[in-house]
């Protein structure tokens, strides 16, 4: 089964809740999954041959939360090309803001720019429609888990 690092960017705890729920689902399906709230580049590198699942919310200005910004910046400034990197992404946001899921979109764009391989489609969760984001993320994680090798 796969080794999965779950990297969390949260402001009010919803992303962490989604990440912990994802961890439980992945473990139940036989994968090794670890949640990182304040990850650094060495945590990211542990999964060079595994999978990364990014679960992040977005600030009102469309940026990444402070908890995941150092990881994003380190990947951007120090890492470069990552053609063997495999990842999934769950982006939480609020469609009443003009930069809906902007944090997740920025992280996805960075990884795509670095030639990383996205596994599955990005899941965008709108807080307006889904006040309990795990109702949407849990089925997505179950499906995403089936794509892991």
């Amino acid at each position: 089964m796969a080794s999965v690092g779950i990297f969390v960017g949260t402001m009010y705890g919803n992303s962490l809740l989604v990440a912990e729920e994802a961890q439980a689902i992945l473990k139940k399906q036989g994968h090794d999954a670890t949640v990182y709230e304040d990850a650094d580049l060495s945590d990211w590198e542990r999964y060079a041959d595994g999978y990364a699942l990014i679960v992040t919310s977005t600030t009102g200005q469309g940026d990444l939360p402070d908890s995941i910004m150092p990881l994003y910046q380190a990947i951007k400034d120090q890492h470069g090309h990552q053609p063997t990197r495999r990842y999934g992404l769950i982006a939480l946001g609020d469609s009443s803001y003009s930069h809906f899921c902007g944090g997740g979109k920025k992280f996805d764009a960075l990884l795509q720019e670095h030639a990383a391989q996205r596994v599955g489609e990005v899941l965008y969760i709108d807080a307006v429609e889904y006040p309990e984001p795990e109702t949407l993320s849990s089925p997505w994680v179950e499906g995403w888990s089936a794509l892991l090798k």
Side-chain angles (χ1 to χ4, degrees):
M1 287 290 158
S3 178
V4 182
I6 304 171
F7 299 90
V8 181
T10 192
M11 295 179 56
Y12 302 114
N14 283 339
S15 293
L16 181 58
L17 175 68
V18 167
E20 289 171 342
E21 193 71 26
Q23 179 185 34
I25 291 166
L26 290 166
K27 284 186 172 189
K28 184 177 178 184
Q29 295 185 352
H31 300 293
D32 177 32
T34 304
V35 173
Y36 295 91
E37 287 184 65
D38 293 303
D40 59 27
L41 199 54
S42 66
D43 297 323
W44 181 255
E45 281 308 308
R46 285 188 191 119
Y47 299 92
D49 295 324
Y51 293 83
L53 176 59
I54 298 96
V55 181
T56 188
S57 60
T58 301
T59 68
Q61 294 76 37
D63 291 323
L64 289 159
D66 290 342
S67 63
I68 201 167
M69 185 55 91
L71 175 63
Y72 172 87
Q73 204 61 48
I75 293 169
K76 183 176 181 181
D77 296 342
Q78 301 170 34
H79 207 288
H81 203 60
Q82 302 180 62
T84 61
R85 170 75 56 195
R86 296 169 295 182
Y87 74 97
L89 193 128
I90 299 173
L92 288 80
D94 183 326
S95 61
S96 66
Y97 287 88
S98 59
H99 300 289
F100 174 63
C101 289
K105 289 175 182 176
K106 283 182 182 180
F107 218 117
D108 186 47
L110 173 67
L111 294 176
Q112 290 291 300
E113 179 182 312
H114 288 200
Q117 301 172 41
R118 186 176 47 210
V119 176
E121 295 299 317
V122 175
L123 175 63
Y124 298 104
I125 302 176
D126 185 356
V128 172
E129 292 184 40
Y130 296 95
E132 295 177 357
E134 67 279 5
T135 61
L136 192 59
S137 66
S138 292
W140 182 92
V141 171
E142 289 175 10
W144 187 75
S145 174
L147 302 174
L148 308 184
K149 298 175 182 169

